[in-house]
Amino acid sequence: MAQDDVKSHLDKGLYGTPLVNPEEQHKYLGTFRERCYLSMTVAEMSDPKNKENFLKELNKHTDVSIRLNGALPLSIQNQYIQLATKNNVRFTVINDFVSAEPDSFGLLLTAKEAVNEPVIDVEKKYPEEEAKKDEEKPKKKSFWDRLF
């Protein structure tokens, strides 16, 4: 028994503490999916509408932190770092297991504990207003409706 404890202690020293669900933690910039309020991919971060939606979500929640992908271009990183400091929100730039591919996560708005948001993608959570405007347009009356 004592030998197993020594081996586990040495393994922790050599390789670090083992992660719970490491694939999920690598995908979500070192945290779990259940702790996320909002996510933005690298491609979505350059859209100004998504930045406004990010600010809306940031104002909804207190005691949140921002996780930024370290492989992002510095111009985009600096924009979101300035927003975080302006709103007094903690941020962390993650450099382990990240990539600058357009489909990988560029930003996550997270909590310390599980919040279980059903939708975290910024474009699904805040659909474009143009789609709403198209639905609100009145339909043209048909020929028969105008006659009667």
Side-chain angles (χ1 to χ4, degrees), residues 54-55 58-59 66 81-90:
F54 165 72
L55 287 172
L58 189 64
N59 293 329
I66 299 170
I81 289 173
Q82 287 175 356
L83 288 174
T85 55
K86 189 177 182 181
N87 291 303
N88 296 324
V89 177
R90 293 181 313 273

Side-chain angles (χ1 to χ4, degrees), residues 55-122:
L55 287 172
K56 287 178 191 175
E57 193 72 22
L58 189 64
N59 293 329
K60 281 183 186 178
H61 307 288
T62 59
D63 196 29
V64 293
S65 64
I66 299 170
R67 293 181 167 265
L68 288 167
N69 186 335
L72 287 170
L74 288 177
S75 60
I76 295 175
Q77 265 187 24
N78 289 336
Q79 291 174 8
Y80 286 93
I81 289 173
Q82 287 175 356
L83 288 174
T85 55
K86 189 177 182 181
N87 291 303
N88 296 324
V89 177
R90 293 181 313 273
F91 68 91
T92 306
V93 179
I94 309 295
N95 290 316
D96 296 334
F97 306 106
V98 294
S99 68
E101 295 177 11
D103 293 340
S104 63
F105 287 121
L107 178 139
L108 292 172
L109 187 64
T110 61
K112 289 182 181 179
E113 66 283 335
V115 292
N116 295 320
E117 285 283 319
V119 177
I120 63 169
D121 185 34
V122 69

Side-chain angles (χ1 to χ4, degrees), residues 23-34 36 39 67 94 105 108 110 120:
E23 293 86 20
E24 181 181 0
Q25 286 189 9
H26 296 324
K27 181 179 177 184
Y28 289 97
L29 303 176
T31 190
F32 297 104
R33 159 64 175 87
E34 65 223 17
C36 298
S39 69
R67 293 181 167 265
I94 309 295
F105 287 121
L108 292 172
T110 61
I120 63 169

Side-chain angles (χ1 to χ4, degrees), residues 5-19:
D5 292 338
V6 172
K7 184 176 179 352
S8 68
H9 182 71
L10 288 174
D11 285 343
K12 286 180 185 177
L14 286 172
Y15 307 114
T17 307
L19 296 174

